[in-house]
Amino acid sequence: DFLRAVSHDLNGPLVNISGMCGMIARKYEDQLDEGVKDRLSRIQRNVGKLTDLIGDLLELSRIKSRRLPFTWVHISDLINDVWGLFEFQVEQKGFRLELPKDLPKLYVEKSRIKQIFHNLFDNAMKYIGDQPSPVIGIEF
């Protein structure tokens, strides 16, 4: 409850800050020098980062308060399913996934594990840089 309340209380002012920056940038676009435009843009990016962190806090509170059923999952099938969601990025940048052959079957909250691998793949693809034939490897 505390995380939910704090997240809600923090999110309101951030929405206002972002909205004000956007309004100033649009309304006074012709009158602002590049330095001011850059600062407004940085403020909005930082608000976005804080909003993402607040979203993470809310997700944490949901995880704590709402347990999902555990099921047995072939982890290689789950990983391949999640990898398939990134088909566009894989084709566009030539990403390759390397998995061990004998991945275990796990007793898990399937949707949570899928979310973890989704976040890991998303971050890896964002921050891997400009490498030829980038590889993302999974090890257990």
Side-chain angles (χ1 to χ4, degrees):
D1 288 339
F2 175 73
L3 283 175
R4 223 174 305 122
V6 168
S7 298
H8 177 74
D9 289 346
L10 290 174
N11 205 34
L14 289 173
V15 169
N16 285 336
I17 291 168
S18 181
M20 293 277 199
C21 286
M23 186 269 309
I24 290 168
R26 283 187 305 279
K27 189 172 181 178
Y28 300 103
E29 182 178 5
D30 304 359
Q31 302 166 28
L32 300 174
D33 65 45
E34 289 306 311
V36 173
K37 289 179 186 178
D38 180 58
R39 287 183 191 99
L40 289 171
S41 176
R42 277 193 280 159
I43 290 169
Q44 286 187 301
R45 281 193 309 271
N46 285 322
V47 165
K49 289 177 185 177
L50 288 172
T51 302
D52 289 346
L53 288 172
I54 290 169
D56 292 345
L57 283 174
L58 286 171
E59 180 61 20
L60 181 61
S61 75
R62 280 191 290 273
I63 289 170
K64 288 288 194 184
S65 65
R66 192 176 36 136
R67 300 287 306 198
L68 298 173
F70 278 60
T71 58
W72 285 101
V73 175
H74 289 279
I75 197 69
S76 58
D77 293 343
L78 183 139
I79 290 170
N80 284 315
D81 286 348
V82 175
W83 184 253
L85 299 173
F86 292 91
E87 183 178 356
F88 176 76
Q89 293 92 325
V90 168
E91 288 180 12
Q92 187 179 42
K93 296 218 176 170
F95 287 105
R96 191 167 43 95
L97 177 64
E98 287 186 356
L99 290 176
K101 294 184 191 277
D102 304 2
L103 289 175
K105 190 174 182 182
L106 301 175
Y107 192 63
V108 297
E109 290 181 70
K110 184 177 179 178
S111 64
R112 302 277 189 229
I113 299 301
K114 280 181 118 172
Q115 183 179 8
I116 289 168
F117 278 104
H118 187 278
N119 291 345
L120 289 170
F121 290 152
D122 187 48
N123 285 335
M125 290 178 184
K126 281 181 190 172
Y127 301 110
I128 201 164
D130 292 329
Q131 299 179 17
S133 303
V135 176
I136 297 174
I138 305 290
E139 294 183 22
F140 277 82

